[in-house]
Amino acid sequence: MTKILLFIPMYNCEKQITRVIDQLDQNILNYINEVIVVNNRSTDNSEDVVINHCKSKGDLPIKVLRNDENYGLGGSHKVAFEYAIENGFDYVIVLHGDDQGRISDFIPLLESKKYEECDCCLGARFMKGSKLIGYNKLRIWGNYGFNLLFSMVVHKSVKDLGSGLNMYKVSTLKNKYFMKYPDTLYFNDLMILASCYYKQSMLFYPISWREEDQISNNKLMSFSISLLKMLFNYVKDKKKYLEQDMRTNMIDNYSAQVVYDNMEGR
């Protein structure tokens, strides 16, 4: 039986996180074995809010973890990926805790088992069949431009550089190549380059995406410059670039503590 983990990264999402948990109805739980919410040291009431809401949901198969430090979004991915490896999961789905994406978009993918043919299935906001609500037009065209640049560099069609809904085959993560990548918002972009470099099979899948009361941590100009530098370094020497340690803060152990566990006895 295929074992699937759903990972929800959370940072200051007290207004949105209950809506994300409410997405986990029986239609999606038919495919998900366990859910972990990884709190990246939120400074608001996200942790209390999500724990209280999980308690109200009864038998939801969920744990809440708190990072021992603020590791950044990439660092939270590392916590979850290691958890998936250590606990024998076959796949891990990432669904951001700010309620921009809909896990239900992946149900046809899960139902058809199309994901079994791929090393990673990446939610795409900018392809035929996707739906954007409240998304800034400048950012839309900027994403189209960078998708094209990445496609030209990696010689594959890239439809999104990093949405908040993705799925990875755990066996491809077991050598932990991702541990050397930045713990920042750039983590997903490096994962795409790495998938191409390691010749992993990638499937871009159309999803819906909305911006309502979410707060973006993405500074458009600085992020764009960083992406251009990333592409330059990849073209210059992709082996050297992707196999080096890119972190500014060297962390030996991305550790987290379980602060709520509804999985005991299962």
Side-chain angles (χ1 to χ4, degrees):
M1 178 180 175
T2 302
K3 192 176 178 184
I4 300 177
L5 173 71
L6 174 61
F7 153 53
I8 302 175
M10 179 179 74
Y11 180 73
N12 290 354
C13 300
E14 64 176 339
K15 294 181 180 180
Q16 300 89 17
I17 191 61
T18 57
R19 302 200 304 256
V20 176
I21 299 303
D22 285 342
Q23 293 185 36
L24 308 181
D25 58 19
Q26 193 56 51
N27 290 324
I28 190 64
L29 291 176
N30 288 332
Y31 303 99
I32 303 298
N33 298 89
E34 183 177 337
V35 183
I36 58 170
V37 177
V38 178
N39 176 22
N40 190 38
R41 310 297 295 192
S42 295
T43 58
D44 64 2
N45 294 317
S46 293
E47 185 170 291
D48 289 337
V49 168
V50 73
I51 289 174
N52 289 332
H53 198 62
C54 289
K55 288 178 179 178
S56 74
K57 302 295 283 187
D59 61 352
L60 193 66
I62 193 166
K63 292 180 183 178
V64 179
L65 283 64
R66 182 197 303 141
N67 290 344
D68 287 338
E69 299 177 35
N70 183 323
Y71 297 131
L73 179 61
S76 290
H77 276 73
K78 294 172 185 178
V79 169
F81 287 172
E82 289 200 288
Y83 183 93
I85 293 169
E86 291 168 2
N87 289 277
F89 286 92
D90 300 297
Y91 294 88
V92 54
I93 298 175
V94 184
L95 173 67
H96 283 195
D98 58 4
D99 193 41
Q100 290 184 282
R102 304 293 299 177
I103 186 66
S104 58
D105 288 342
F106 265 15
I107 288 180
L109 184 71
L110 294 165
E111 186 177 32
S112 67
K113 297 189 177 182
K114 180 74 173 177
Y115 66 90
E116 293 182 348
E117 302 172 14
C118 310
D119 295 317
C120 54
C121 301
L122 307 177
R125 300 162 290 178
F126 310 101
M127 67 181 295
K128 185 177 180 181
S130 63
K131 185 178 181 181
L132 290 173
I133 303 171
Y135 208 78
N136 182 279
K137 289 185 178 180
L138 178 61
R139 290 176 63 190
I140 291 174
W141 287 107
N143 274 280
Y144 278 127
F146 273 106
N147 290 344
L148 179 60
L149 280 174
F150 267 70
S151 299
M152 293 169 62
V153 167
V154 301
H155 306 295
K156 287 186 178 181
S157 179
V158 175
K159 298 299 185 182
D160 201 313
L161 296 183
S163 74
L165 180 57
N166 298 307
M167 185 174 189
Y168 299 92
K169 183 181 289 186
V170 174
S171 62
T172 67
L173 304 172
K174 287 186 176 179
N175 66 358
K176 300 187 180 182
Y177 64 88
F178 55 86
M179 297 298 289
K180 298 177 290 185
Y181 296 159
D183 295 329
T184 62
L185 295 173
Y186 309 123
F187 181 82
N188 280 337
D189 309 289
L190 266 301
M191 287 294 287
I192 288 177
L193 291 180
S195 291
C196 297
Y197 174 68
Y198 291 112
K199 294 181 170 50
Q200 297 175 358
S201 54
M202 248 183 338
L203 172 69
F204 286 96
Y205 194 84
I207 61 171
S208 54
W209 197 256
R210 68 181 184 277
E211 287 198 353
E212 295 175 343
D213 56 354
Q214 297 87 357
I215 299 174
S216 175
N217 294 313
N218 190 345
K219 305 301 182 183
L220 190 59
M221 185 58 68
S222 60
F223 196 75
S224 298
I225 292 171
S226 296
L227 289 178
L228 290 173
K229 289 180 178 178
M230 190 182 298
L231 287 176
F232 174 79
N233 289 324
Y234 183 85
V235 170
K236 184 179 178 182
D237 190 334
K238 56 187 174 184
K239 176 178 172 61
K240 179 181 179 181
Y241 181 55
L242 290 177
E243 294 183 0
Q244 68 179 333
D245 201 319
M246 305 179 194
R247 297 172 296 172
T248 55
N249 183 21
M250 301 301 175
I251 297 172
D252 293 329
N253 180 28
Y254 289 84
S255 56
Q257 306 303 316
V258 177
V259 294
Y260 175 76
D261 186 355
N262 199 32
M263 292 293 297
E264 291 182 355
R266 290 174 182 258

